[in-house]
Amino acid sequence: MAPRIDQIETDQVIPKRVDVVIIGGGIVGVCTAMFLAEKGVSVALCEKGHIAGEQSSRNWGWCRKMGRDVAEIPLAIESLRFWEQMNTRVEGETGFRKEGVVYLCETQDDIARHEEWLEHARPYQLDSHLLSPDAVDKLLPGSARKWKGALYTPSDGRAEPQKAAPAIAAAARRMGAYILTGCAVRGIETSAGRVSGAVTEKGTIACDTVVVAGGAWSRLFLGNMGVTFPQLKILGSVMRTKPLDGVPSPAVGASDFAFRRRLDGGYTVAQRGANIAPIVPDSFRLFFDFLPALRKQWHELRLRVNGRFIEEWQIPKRWSLDQKTPFETVRVLDPAPVDSILEEAKVNLARNFPAFRNMEIAESWGGLVDVMPDAVPVISHVPGVPGLVIASGMSGHGFGLGPGTGRLAADLVTGDVPIADPTPFRYERFLRGTTKAA
């Protein structure tokens, strides 16, 4: 079910010591490694499976400022700046193209909601603006309906999830970073109250700092060391078409479908606003944390009781550092897509854009998205654990925000002036007087 990811050469032998160990080889982890290496910091990135094996290769590929939580806009601006120069920076193909992002409006309420966001975003002087119905027709010829309008940001773009993280990881390695795959980190050693090493399945790497960029695995990893991380997972389903002519090039989202053009001439297609929220044991443990978000986004989520409840119930929550861990048992989260949701996306898309009626599906996949109660990531030191930094909980925004997140995490590690205000992303916003897990 997994998408086809570009393969890169990685390191086979772990170093004895580095300044920083990064846990996780997704877009956030590889960007953090690259920026640290650029700063002259010695770094080892440890990935239990392979680079971009999970959500970093399974997302839609959108790179946008538009529609972001206001707290994320400065980070999104920096991320887009990095995306625009990324191919040159890494001397490789990440697939980034600045071709715009469009949110189609079906009702006057949609327009009012986007007008409200534009007002909040006004201080940042973005090029986001509302389009009239006629302007939508001109931008997106071939639609079978007249839209009320659209929110449009020409400077937003898209990249290729199956190419980007591998290209960035390869660049980080050329800059001196160790890129270790098939190398799960079991836990963190401390000395005199601060981080002193990362214990991997292949041995211990001495270090001063550990950056946890473990995506959907971060809660489990941190919980074993007594650090609470209120994170859940939702299941997204995505497909790609074979090359298709006569379709607009901007990335487009409506209420019940989304698509964006790929480098290969095909399209990545999904059902927008239709994610599966598996009911798992953590759903009950974190119920009150997520209740406000559940009320707000109820129409976008489909709660399901399925096999994941038993799977997660059986996963050990505690282990010693000389034991085999869940990260070695499951190297890659590879959930099946929900065919009924993908069929809805196909029907809805073809009804609104007839050019898609003849689309041929090349492959489909599922991905587990790590989400936080406020849908805003954590990019932060952890109080009480000197040398521990979290860069996780990206809440479906990780790919587009990956470069800015990696740079901000690197700045926090080195103590440099942060590229964006880290205050909205601080870990402390979830504290209840302790860092110990409940």
Side-chain angles (χ1 to χ4, degrees), residues 268-337:
T268 294
V269 177
Q271 162 70 306
R272 190 167 179 230
N275 294 307
I276 298 295
I279 302 297
V280 296
D282 276 345
S283 303
F284 299 96
R285 298 185 183 108
L286 300 174
F287 177 77
F288 290 105
D289 297 88
F290 279 86
L291 184 57
L294 184 62
R295 287 170 173 163
K296 183 178 179 180
Q297 298 178 307
W298 181 262
H299 64 289
E300 297 180 5
L301 297 174
R302 303 184 186 187
L303 304 182
R304 294 288 187 274
V305 178
N306 53 32
R308 285 213 62 82
F309 188 96
I310 299 300
E311 288 176 27
E312 297 206 7
W313 182 271
Q314 294 175 338
I315 293 175
K317 302 299 184 294
R318 294 288 188 273
W319 55 86
S320 62
L321 302 189
D322 60 355
Q323 288 181 304
K324 185 177 181 179
T325 65
F327 317 116
E328 295 150 78
T329 302
V330 180
R331 295 287 178 177
V332 176
L333 285 171
D334 186 23

